[in-house]
């Protein structure tokens, strides 16, 4: 078990990170993985599709 | 010697926790240096809910409970301080960060559990607040940069805190107090570049403050010279941020030596392989330093043995590296071809660009000084340098129209990019918020707190500021934009025009 409190002294009581019960079935694993790809702005560049000629005076 | 519990509230719950909160980590290091007893409960990293939070609050006789975060952490902060007050009736509850700074009076009124707030930068204010706890005094108004309640219970600001001049006097953030192995390193990946995808042990750094731009949607947390204190005719003091004709900035940055020494330390102590620069705009600093800053960082990156050397699998595909790859933010009009190449050679793998739009008439209203051509130029310069550009785009600008949507779709085709635009959102502290506050409040039945609680990622729509399109239309238009669906856009435009001929927009 891991302590969720981290500090420069020993707190009076320790608090452990309890495992969340639903953690490891296939559905929740899938949902976690899918979730990792979401959030924020999603943008990527398909490098192979592009051509560009520089215009010297934008 | 105060016994202090830091709580990092939950933010962006829809994604896994990816970032050690840099501000809190720095303030924890400062508190330790001053001899205080410090524990951190990183609720955002652990995400263990109310039961564990209550256990943490009962784990010691906390004298101080300190929280901070960005505006979108408000919901979690509200819940946390409510529970903290129940469990620790005698503790001093302190709040700081962007969430408080943009709306200090409102937040103090909405959160009666908070005793004192730190408005803007905490580097000097926070240790002074802790010293006051040690002195068993509660005269918060004597400390510049705070907000606290007067005898009548009304929140009042103390004088404005000046910004720290020499950033290199700061200690390194207290990364030891955060669950690196348990949580953060597992979420090191940044799906913006192949190197980012392969990152195994990433930490973030923030090595500059400020941005030379005056983008209408942006907020700089009151730590970039963007905040002013203003006194009304009735003598009440309030904070003020960008508004037409009043823009202020203070540009500050760590020296290249400090930065690279810190990264070397992170490499030696935590075996990191990737660093994300959280800085708002690395190119502002480069320009401000007459093009020396970035170049020196890159030179020292090589000299300190941090420039990555790739390793390959049997098929010749890169599977890792020795050294530290990195990424950050750039700016279309401020980057140069040369610096991009230098950055790549030192291990830069991707750069985020807030392109916002590829429509000239919209860009003119943004305050960024960029044009569709400078956007495209920087995009290709970056690619040519071997760095992946991450092109951010926004939909729902005040002047968004069918033309701007088509301009964007055409640019996505030309550039070969897949983008899911953010919705234009007026976060408190931005010029947009100042200008549209009444309308935003009205959209939430006159309740500003509901608006704040609704704010998130801007991938979801909240309050809108667009003159032509309503929220439902913007949601649909974004889908068409992402799909490149010109046909349906034409169909919708004729229907839209028919409706608005009958009922013109005011
Ligand atoms: C890391 C980061 C995030 C992290 C979260 C960080 C966290 N754990 O809180 C993530 C990736 C989740 C994030 C998301 C978003 N972010 Co963000 N983010 C940042 C970033 C890059 C760095 C923050 C940072 O560490 N700054 C440096 C440290 C030193 O500053 P600080 O934390 O504010 O701490 C100082 C003071 O505020 C104060 N302080 C802070 N806490 C406390 C506590 C106490 C007790 C005291 C006394 C003082 C104090 O003292 C510190 C030292 O001076 C900033 C840009 C930047 N460079 O600042 C944007 C920034 C904060 N984000 C911003 C925005 C707009 C967003 C998004 C809305 C963007 C989007 N559309 O997706 C989302 C929201 C997502 C969501 N669903 O909630 C805005 C402002 C937001 C706001 N209104 O608060 C910023 C300023 C960027 C910008 N200019 O637009 N972000």
């Amino acid at each position: 078990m891991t302590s969720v409190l981290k500090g420069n002294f020993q707190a009076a009581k320790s608090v452990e990170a309890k495992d969340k019960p639903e953690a490891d079935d296939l559905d929740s694993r899938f949902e976690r993985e899918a979730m990792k790809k979401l959030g924020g702005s999603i943008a990527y560049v398909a490098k192979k599709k592009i051509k560009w000629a520089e215009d010297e005076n934008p | 010697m105060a016994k202090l519990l830091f709580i990092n509230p939950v933010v962006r719950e829809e994604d896994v926790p990816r970032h050690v909160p840099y501000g809190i980590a720095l303030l924890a290091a400062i508190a330790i240096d001053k001899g205080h007893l410090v524990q951190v409960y990183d609720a955002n990293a652990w995400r263990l809910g109310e039961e564990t939070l209550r256990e943490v609050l009962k784990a010691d006789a906390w004298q101080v409970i300190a929280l901070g975060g960005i505006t979108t952490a408000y919901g979690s902060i509200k819940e946390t301080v409510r529970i903290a007050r129940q469990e620790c009736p005698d503790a001093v509850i302190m709040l700081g960060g962007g969430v408080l700074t943009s709306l200090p009076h409102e937040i103090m009124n909405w959160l009666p559990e908070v005793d004192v707030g730190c408005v803007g930068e905490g580097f000097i204010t926070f240790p002074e607040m802790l010293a006051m706890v040690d002195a068993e005094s509660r005269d918060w108004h004597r400390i510049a940069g705070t907000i606290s309640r007067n005898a009548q219970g009304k929140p009042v600001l103390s004088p404005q805190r000046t910004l720290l001049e020499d950033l290199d006097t700061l200690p390194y953030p207290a990364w030891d107090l955060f669950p690196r192995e348990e949580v953060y390193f597992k979420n090191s990946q940044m799906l913006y570049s192949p190197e980012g995808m392969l990152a195994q042990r990433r930490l973030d750094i923030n090595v500059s403050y400020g941005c030379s731009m005056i983008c209408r949607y942006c907020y700089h947390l009151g730590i970039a010279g963007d905040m002013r204190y203003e006194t009304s005719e009735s003598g009440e003091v309030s904070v003020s941020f960008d508004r037409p004709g009043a823009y202020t900035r203070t540009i500050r940055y760590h020296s290249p030596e400090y930065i690279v020494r810190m990264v070397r330390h992170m490499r030696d102590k935590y075996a990191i392989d990737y660093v994300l620069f959280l800085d708002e705009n690395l190119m502002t600093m480069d320009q401000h330093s007459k093009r020396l800053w970035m170049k020196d960082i890159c030179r020292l990156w090589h000299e300190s043995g941090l420039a990555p050397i790739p390793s390959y699998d049997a098929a010749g595909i890169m599977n890792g590296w020795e050294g530290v790859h990195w990424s950050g933010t750039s700016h279309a009009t401020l980057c140069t071809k040369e610096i991009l190449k230098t950055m790549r050679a030192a291990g830069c793998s991707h750069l985020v660009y807030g392109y916002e739009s590829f429509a000239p008439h919209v860009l003119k209203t943004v305050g960024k000084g960029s044009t569709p051509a400078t956007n495209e130029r920087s995009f290709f310069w970056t690619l040519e340098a071997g760095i992946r550009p991450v092109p951010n785009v926004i939909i729902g600008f005040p002047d968004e129209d069918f033309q701007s949507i088509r301009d964007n779709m055409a640019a996505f085709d030309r550039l070969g990019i897949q983008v899911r635009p953010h919705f234009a959102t007026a976060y408190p502290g931005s010029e947009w918020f100042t200008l549209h506050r009444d309308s935003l409040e009205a959209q939430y039945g006159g309740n500003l707190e509901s608006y704040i609680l609704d704010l998130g990622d801007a991938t979801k729509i909240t309050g809108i500021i667009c003159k032509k399109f309503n929220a439902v239309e913007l949601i649909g238009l974004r889908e068409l934009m992402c799909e490149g669906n010109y046909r349906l856009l034409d169909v919708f435009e004729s229907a839209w025009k028919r409706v608005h001929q009958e009922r013109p927009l005011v």
Side-chain angles (χ1 to χ4, degrees):
Chain A
M1 291 283 245
T2 330
S3 170
V4 300
L5 273 172
K6 292 189 187 284
N8 65 343
F9 74 107
Q10 184 69 49
K13 287 182 217 152
S14 70
V15 183
E16 307 297 334
K18 296 183 202 87
D19 280 340
K20 287 204 210 135
E22 81 289 349
D24 250 359
D25 63 278
L26 190 61
D27 271 348
S28 32
R29 251 173 55 210
F30 161 71
E31 282 169 18
R32 275 202 308 271
E33 287 307 309
M35 202 55 93
K36 283 185 190 167
K37 306 222 160 33
L38 299 177
S41 121
I42 298 167
Y44 73 87
V45 181
K47 263 190 180 172
K48 294 180 183 87
K49 281 191 358 200
I50 42 186
K51 272 199 219 102
W52 185 62
E54 181 163 1
D55 173 357
E56 281 306 318
N57 305 302
Chain B
M1 213 167 44
K3 193 177 272 187
L4 153 70
L5 171 66
F6 262 113
I7 302 179
N8 181 32
V10 178
V11 70
R12 194 182 257 170
E13 219 168 342
E14 60 277 24
D15 192 9
V16 295
R18 293 179 190 278
H19 308 281
V20 174
Y22 202 78
I24 293 180
L26 273 173
L27 296 180
I30 292 171
I32 290 172
D33 279 1
K34 298 273 179 200
H36 299 288
L37 295 174
V38 185
Q39 293 278 343
V40 172
Y41 173 51
D42 189 339
N44 186 48
W46 292 108
R47 308 222 172 147
L48 291 169
E50 184 175 331
E51 198 189 324
T52 304
L53 174 64
R54 287 192 189 271
E55 272 186 63
V56 164
L57 290 162
K58 285 190 280 209
D60 214 318
W62 309 113
Q63 285 170 284
V64 175
I65 297 171
L67 299 94
I70 62 175
T71 304
T72 54
Y74 177 67
S76 168
I77 290 172
K78 188 175 168 76
E79 187 60 7
T80 306
V81 297
R82 185 182 63 78
I83 297 169
R85 186 45 85 220
Q86 284 173 3
E87 298 292 349
C88 309
D90 300 326
V92 174
I93 301 185
M94 299 178 177
L95 177 66
V99 62
L100 176 91
T101 299
S102 56
L103 294 168
H105 292 87
E106 290 82 347
I107 299 279
M108 288 298 280
N109 282 329
W110 297 336
L111 304 179
E113 299 88 355
V114 173
D115 294 297
V116 56
C118 168
V119 182
E121 187 159 279
F123 299 141
I124 307 168
T125 311
F126 183 58
E128 287 187 9
M129 288 156 84
L130 295 179
M132 185 154 284
V133 173
D134 280 351
E136 293 181 16
S137 162
R138 297 291 182 269
D139 293 333
W140 306 117
H141 59 274
R142 289 163 168 271
I143 302 177
T146 61
I147 183 161
S148 56
R149 295 185 184 80
N150 65 11
Q152 291 72 46
K154 222 176 127 221
V156 274
L157 290 164
S158 66
Q160 182 167 7
R161 167 70 64 184
T162 48
L163 297 169
L164 178 70
E165 241 171 70
D166 184 1
L167 292 174
D168 284 1
T169 55
L170 289 173
Y172 298 155
W175 284 293
D176 285 340
L177 271 51
F178 294 82
R180 299 170 317 281
E181 303 292 345
E182 302 92 326
V183 180
Y184 286 112
F185 285 151
K186 290 181 186 154
N187 301 325
S188 289
Q189 198 179 50
M190 307 224 73
L191 281 176
Y192 293 121
S193 59
E195 297 87 347
M197 183 181 73
L198 294 178
Q200 307 262 330
R201 298 177 71 82
R202 172 180 52 80
L203 283 177
D204 313 333
I205 58 177
N206 190 84
V207 294
S208 64
Y209 297 87
C211 175
S212 49
M213 300 294 149
I214 50 163
C215 305
R216 310 295 190 234
Y217 51 80
C218 203
Y219 165 46
H220 312 274
L221 309 167
I223 59 179
D226 54 318
M227 178 173 62
R228 298 172 304 277
Y229 279 30
E230 290 177 355
T231 310
S232 70
E233 278 173 17
S234 60
E236 299 206 359
V237 181
S238 59
V239 294
S240 161
F241 300 88
D242 286 4
R243 67 179 142 71
Y247 306 97
T248 48
R249 295 289 184 273
T250 307
I251 306 294
R252 295 175 297 162
Y253 37 92
H254 281 286
S255 67
E257 290 75 18
Y258 179 101
I259 296 164
V260 176
R261 216 180 308 121
M262 177 163 75
V263 177
R264 185 69 239 184
H265 160 83
M266 293 158 78
R267 169 90 186 142
D268 294 342
K269 183 160 183 195
Y270 305 113
I272 58 159
D273 61 2
Y274 199 98
V275 157
L276 169 67
F277 284 77
L278 299 170
D279 304 54
E280 290 198 82
N281 176 359
L282 292 171
M283 292 304 159
T284 284
M285 312 303 145
D286 198 48
Q287 192 199 40
H288 194 270
S289 66
K290 305 200 168 51
R291 303 289 175 198
L292 292 175
W293 189 67
M294 208 39 180
K295 209 164 77 190
D296 281 348
I297 293 174
C298 293
R299 177 178 55 77
L300 292 169
W301 210 270
H302 288 282
E303 287 175 18
S304 310
L306 292 169
I309 302 164
S311 54
Y312 299 92
D313 66 13
I317 296 171
M318 185 179 80
N319 59 3
W321 56 86
E322 194 48 54
V324 180
H325 269 292
W326 50 284
S327 52
T329 49
S330 184
H331 188 279
T333 64
L334 299 178
C335 67
T336 64
K337 253 182 180 172
E338 295 66 38
I339 197 62
L340 291 168
K341 286 185 190 145
T342 308
M343 288 163 77
R344 178 62 197 164
C348 178
S349 64
H350 72 256
L351 286 171
V352 175
Y353 286 88
Y355 288 143
E356 325 311 3
S357 177
F358 289 88
H361 62 290
V362 166
L363 274 180
K364 273 199 189 116
T365 65
V366 175
K368 253 197 144 81
S370 56
T371 62
T374 56
N375 278 357
E376 290 194 27
R377 184 184 70 179
S378 67
F379 178 86
F380 288 106
W381 280 355
T382 307
L383 272 182
E384 277 169 8
I387 298 172
R388 287 248 171 185
V390 181
N392 279 340
V393 175
I394 294 175
I395 182 176
F397 281 100
D399 292 301
E400 198 80 65
D401 56 15
F402 286 100
Q403 182 58 43
S404 60
I405 289 175
R406 288 202 179 82
D407 287 349
N408 280 321
M409 286 160 67
F412 297 171
D413 285 345
R414 272 198 312 281
L415 270 51
I417 54 179
Q418 289 290 323
V419 183
R420 192 163 169 76
H422 281 117
F423 288 112
T425 303
Y427 292 94
S430 67
E431 182 174 335
W432 273 353
F433 179 79
T434 304
L435 293 180
H436 299 281
R437 180 171 175 161
D438 291 346
S439 142
L440 294 164
E441 272 189 48
Q443 291 173 49
Y444 284 77
N447 186 339
L448 184 64
E449 190 185 17
S450 307
Y451 173 59
I452 304 299
L453 283 165
D454 200 26
L455 286 173
D457 231 330
T459 34
K460 184 189 83 159
I461 205 152
T462 57
I464 60 157
I465 53 170
C466 184
K467 293 179 206 155
K468 283 212 165 74
F469 302 122
N470 64 32
V472 178
E473 288 169 335
L474 285 172
I475 292 169
L477 287 167
R478 182 174 70 172
E479 288 313 303
L480 301 183
M481 212 166 152
C482 293
E483 288 170 18
N485 195 333
Y486 290 95
R487 184 188 66 82
L488 270 186
L489 190 64
D490 291 346
V491 172
F492 178 63
E493 183 174 10
S494 18
W496 186 94
K497 281 191 171 146
R498 258 200 324 276
V499 170
H500 291 292
Q501 251 158 24
E502 286 160 23
R503 270 180 289 142
L505 288 165
V506 266

